[in-house]
Amino acid sequence: MKTGIYPGSFDPITLGHLDIIKRAACVVDKLIIGVLNNSAKKSLFTPEERVAIIRKTTSDIPNVEVESFNGLLVDFADQKQAHIIVRGLRAISDFEYELQIAQTNRKVNPKVDTMFFTTSEEYSYISSSIVKEYAMYGGDVSQFVTPYVETCLKAKIKENR
Ligand code: COA
């Protein structure tokens, strides 16, 4: 049983993330989306909200599970008996940071390896921050997120005003 973990903040999940999830779910038996509960990074949605949004967004992919985690990624991987960490590479600028994380994680836990997926071209410029900023100024984000995520974004922004 090959279990992979796709970690990230997912604040909120975008079509770029979904693209990686669909492709990664085809190469592992089980893909766990690990939502980082990171108090250092100011987020729009709570970890519980992000988990619920991702569950709904990925409900048609049978081998995907969603959970939040605290602490080190390699510890979460151990806990879940996962040996593969999935990450997406959008541009060359992602590479240095991702290489550093992957190498550190492998040093700390040699049983865990990182598998990179190159983001599909149409999503190579998307980030959750850009989507949030666009939505906050009333921009149309339908090209970047699913209709459900768009509804959640609009509701959250309204709630915060
Ligand atoms: N499509 C869309 N956006 C993407 C993307 C894709 N395919 N790939 C990356 N991004 C964007 C995200 O939207 C996010 O945007 P934002 O900064 O505007 O929110 C940004 O890239 C960062 O990506 P994310 O995947 O959320 O990473 P992160 O930097 O917040 O966290 C972890 C990376 C979770 C892997 C890392 O912080 C971690 O492992 N933390 C746990 C603690 C730990 O083990 N630390 C030791 C590491 S050596």
Side-chain angles (χ1 to χ4, degrees), residues 9 14 16-17 41 71-73 87 90 97 126-129:
S9 306
T14 67
H17 293 128
K41 204 166 169 180
L72 287 179
L73 175 59
R87 293 289 289 166
R90 289 167 300 173
Y97 171 67
I126 302 181
S127 79
S128 299
S129 300

Side-chain angles (χ1 to χ4, degrees), residues 17-36:
H17 293 128
L18 199 55
D19 168 54
I20 303 288
I21 291 167
K22 285 180 180 162
R23 288 158 57 202
C26 292
V27 298
V28 294
D29 300 303
K30 180 161 82 176
L31 183 68
I32 300 171
I33 303 177
V35 178
L36 182 64

Side-chain angles (χ1 to χ4, degrees), residues 6-12 14-17 20 34 36 38 41 69 71-74 87-90 94 97-98 100-102 104-105 119 123 126-130 132:
Y6 181 33
S9 306
F10 304 105
D11 186 44
T14 67
L15 293 179
H17 293 128
I20 303 288
L36 182 64
N38 183 358
K41 204 166 169 180
F69 75 100
L72 287 179
L73 175 59
V74 285
R87 293 289 289 166
L89 287 176
R90 289 167 300 173
D94 282 343
Y97 171 67
E98 293 297 337
Q100 206 178 6
I101 296 186
T104 311
N105 284 338
T119 311
Y123 306 127
I126 302 181
S127 79
S128 299
S129 300
I130 288 180
K132 278 182 284 192

Side-chain angles (χ1 to χ4, degrees), residues 4-71:
I5 292 191
Y6 181 33
S9 306
F10 304 105
D11 186 44
I13 183 170
T14 67
L15 293 179
H17 293 128
L18 199 55
D19 168 54
I20 303 288
I21 291 167
K22 285 180 180 162
R23 288 158 57 202
C26 292
V27 298
V28 294
D29 300 303
K30 180 161 82 176
L31 183 68
I32 300 171
I33 303 177
V35 178
L36 182 64
N37 188 351
N38 183 358
S39 50
K41 204 166 169 180
K42 199 179 168 300
S43 56
L44 180 65
F45 294 98
T46 65
E48 294 75 21
E49 287 168 336
R50 283 179 268 153
V51 166
I53 292 170
I54 302 169
R55 281 200 181 128
K56 186 138 185 168
T57 307
T58 58
S59 60
D60 59 336
I61 316 173
N63 59 336
V64 165
E65 289 178 12
V66 192
E67 278 186 45
S68 67
F69 75 100
N70 289 299

